Amino acid sequence: MSKKMHVKLKVNGKEEEFLAEPRELLIYTLRERLNITGPHIGCETSHCGACTVTIDGKSVKSCTMFAVQAEGSEITTIEGIGNPDDLHPLQTAFKEHHGLQCGYCTPGMITRATKLLEETPNPTEEEIRFGMAGNLCRCTGYQNIVKSIQAAAAEMNAAKEAAE
Amino acid sequence: MIPAAFEYYRPKDMAGVLSLLEKHGDDARVMAGGHSLIPMMKLRMADVPHLIDLQDVGGMSDIEISGDSIKIGALVTQTKIIDHAGLAEAAPILSEAALQIADPQVRYMGTVGGNVANGDPGNDMPGLMQCLNAIFTVIGTDGERQIAARDFYEGAYATAREDDEVLTAVIIPMPKGGYAYEKQKRKIGDYATAAAAVQIVSGGGACVSASIAMTNLSDVPVFSADAGAALVGTSVDEAALKAAVTAMLGDIDPTEDNRGPVAFKNHVAGIILRRAIARAWSRA
């Protein structure tokens, strides 16, 4: 066993400090150490995207990063995006447009989609499919995920216009 | 999927990196985005007792475009390649290739330096850099040296970089003419079944020069000088395409794996090269 290291990072706005072995993957830090269980473990091989979180403005598969690498960074998980009393427009849209069935991929899908819409506020279907290519869903066939993201984009753009 | 235990270091400068490499030799590996290395460590196919994270080392995250060349720091990510307006103008083949690497999440983390230094025959940037005749800068305790991309790859995961050296930058002579990076893959995120990088310069309706390199069709990327030469002086007609494909097939050395038998890979390589040449020629 190697020496444990001091890690300090911010998750959903809250400072966290702990000692971890260097080999501890971030997804385990989130789920087992910090009890933040929104990000899921799907394939654990950097393919499925169920573990997607946002780290310093980048969508990252947290199964492919060590917690020590994230030292000093700011992380947002699905828990930091919305909650049952205050859903994010993407969460509302996924619910209304049947963007999920079993729901296992959904936290990763929505976390990735927040970043996609930040970078491309008015995406075409092709841009959505390309931008969501790192997230796999085995239920929906993706059509309703595309519809949900389109609906959320329209909602968010309308809200932004109304605010201006 | 938990890797074997290792010691982790995050030095603040290159001197710190080099002293760790000198101390631990081939027991140490440097890491940028980690999206090639970490999966291999999780599968316990890579044993890295000492892992050196380069993220805090400055001076390797910039793209510099001058009159006759482009310098890309080793820590520049695939996403940065795709988003860089100057690069889209100067060398659009880079973003065309980068967009075909893995998926968005991986491209935020994966770097140009990692992609070319890793020596995995499946990586796309090595073949691309051979096509562009890029030069890699590596630094060791004895200072810097330059290695041509076309001389860098010796075998799968074996390169001309010494264990105590770090690849810091890629320098590309300003590309000329039409370009294409064409890739056949089984699914998003997969390595190529076959991929081709092509740059063609035209003049007076004929091909003046052509550079061709292939990916994942040998244990190293394959720069095929003969395939390029087969196009020069022609109008890139059917006969020239056939000659280029025949020359390329003589240079690659695919092996059977889960992407198919050798005959299939040769077939796909031919199709992919034809498409790449046609697209590059249409842009020349």
Side-chain angles (χ1 to χ4, degrees):
Chain A
M1 198 167 123
S2 58
K3 186 177 81 209
K4 287 194 175 182
M5 299 186 77
H6 180 246
V7 180
K8 187 173 167 184
L9 37 77
K10 207 180 236 186
V11 186
N12 300 326
K14 188 173 164 229
E15 294 271 7
E16 304 282 1
E17 269 190 84
F18 51 90
L19 287 172
E21 265 196 273
R23 64 174 167 172
E24 180 171 310
L25 293 161
L26 183 60
I27 184 67
Y28 289 103
T29 306
L30 294 171
R31 291 182 57 82
E32 295 179 8
R33 187 183 286 282
L34 305 176
N35 290 320
I36 296 169
T37 54
H40 289 164
I41 298 172
C43 71
E44 236 197 315
T45 54
S46 331
H47 290 100
C48 78
C51 64
T52 299
V53 299
T54 308
I55 304 181
D56 292 340
K58 295 181 283 214
S59 299
V60 175
K61 294 179 177 177
S62 59
C63 78
T64 312
M65 180 181 264
F66 298 117
V68 288
Q69 280 177 278
E71 151 76 28
S73 62
E74 286 196 27
I75 301 172
T76 305
T77 70
I78 187 69
E79 286 88 345
I81 289 171
N83 64 63
D85 301 322
D86 183 19
L87 293 178
H88 186 279
L90 272 161
Q91 292 172 310
T92 308
F94 269 66
K95 184 179 151 199
E96 286 178 0
H97 296 271
H98 306 284
L100 63 146
Q101 286 177 33
C102 86
Y104 199 84
C105 71
T106 314
M109 283 281 172
I110 290 178
T111 306
R112 169 59 196 149
T114 57
K115 186 69 201 156
L116 173 71
L117 291 184
E118 197 183 301
E119 291 177 352
T120 316
N122 207 356
T124 62
E125 174 172 347
E126 198 189 342
E127 285 170 330
I128 293 172
R129 288 183 183 273
F130 195 77
M132 297 298 294
N135 294 75
L136 302 182
C137 172
R138 298 284 88 139
C139 300
T140 61
Y142 300 100
Q143 188 53 43
N144 286 347
I145 291 176
V146 173
K147 276 190 199 162
S148 302
I149 295 173
Q150 284 171 326
E155 173 72 30
M156 289 162 73
N157 291 335
K160 207 162 119 194
E161 262 178 46
E164 277 165 7
Chain B
M1 300 265 300
I2 297 167
F6 58 87
E7 300 293 337
Y8 173 87
Y9 310 87
R10 208 201 271 195
K12 300 281 179 209
D13 54 31
M14 188 53 75
V17 176
L18 293 176
S19 78
L20 284 164
L21 283 173
E22 196 173 20
K23 187 169 169 199
H24 299 293
D26 64 359
D27 274 350
R29 281 284 299 271
V30 299
M31 176 182 74
H35 274 48
S36 294
L37 187 59
I38 294 173
M40 297 296 274
M41 291 171 72
K42 287 165 69 183
L43 293 166
R44 304 214 176 193
M45 289 165 78
D47 180 28
V48 183
H50 299 275
L51 184 65
I52 307 169
D53 188 339
L54 296 177
Q55 68 171 295
D56 287 348
V57 179
M60 292 192 286
S61 303
D62 294 324
I63 298 172
E64 295 163 37
I65 302 175
S66 67
D68 54 0
S69 70
I70 298 164
K71 183 179 174 191
I72 301 174
L75 297 187
V76 169
T77 62
Q78 305 297 350
T79 298
K80 190 163 175 185
I81 293 277
I82 293 163
D83 291 344
H84 195 277
L87 213 50
E89 183 83 12
I93 193 170
L94 291 173
S95 60
E96 183 160 295
L99 282 164
Q100 297 179 66
I101 293 174
D103 61 45
Q105 283 94 321
V106 175
R107 290 192 292 265
Y108 281 111
M109 294 300 294
T111 63
V112 173
N115 201 289
V116 299
N118 192 31
D120 187 325
N123 284 147
D124 290 283
M125 291 272 160
L128 175 62
M129 294 307 167
Q130 290 196 339
C131 170
L132 296 173
N133 200 16
I135 306 287
F136 301 154
T137 303
V138 301
I139 189 166
T141 38
D142 297 333
E144 268 188 2
R145 64 187 181 115
Q146 315 275 338
I147 308 170
R150 291 175 190 171
D151 300 327
F152 189 73
Y153 298 95
E154 298 170 345
Y157 303 104
T159 68
R161 183 187 61 81
E162 299 294 336
D163 286 334
D164 58 357
E165 289 178 321
V166 181
L167 190 148
T168 56
V170 174
I171 298 161
I172 303 167
M174 194 59 76
K176 293 188 185 78
Y179 66 91
Y181 193 81
E182 182 79 23
K183 179 177 178 179
Q184 169 65 42
K185 52 186 176 180
R186 297 173 303 173
K187 62 177 183 66
I188 290 287
D190 194 19
Y191 286 137
T193 304
V198 176
Q199 284 276 158
I200 301 183
V201 177
S202 79
C207 168
V208 174
S209 70
S211 179
I212 291 172
M214 308 298 291
T215 291
N216 218 12
L217 293 160
S218 173
D219 62 353
V220 289
V222 176
F223 171 69
S224 179
D226 290 347
L231 299 177
V232 174
T234 74
S235 59
V236 192
D237 54 6
E238 180 55 28
L241 283 170
K242 248 185 199 154
V245 168
T246 304
M248 176 277 291
L249 290 174
D251 286 341
I252 63 172
D253 183 23
T255 50
E256 179 168 344
D257 60 17
N258 55 3
R259 294 183 184 87
V262 171
F264 175 70
K265 291 192 171 183
N266 282 327
H267 173 72
V268 176
I271 303 274
I272 290 301
L273 180 55
R274 275 173 170 270
R275 286 184 192 164
I277 293 172
R279 193 159 76 241
W281 182 241
S282 74
R283 291 162 166 170

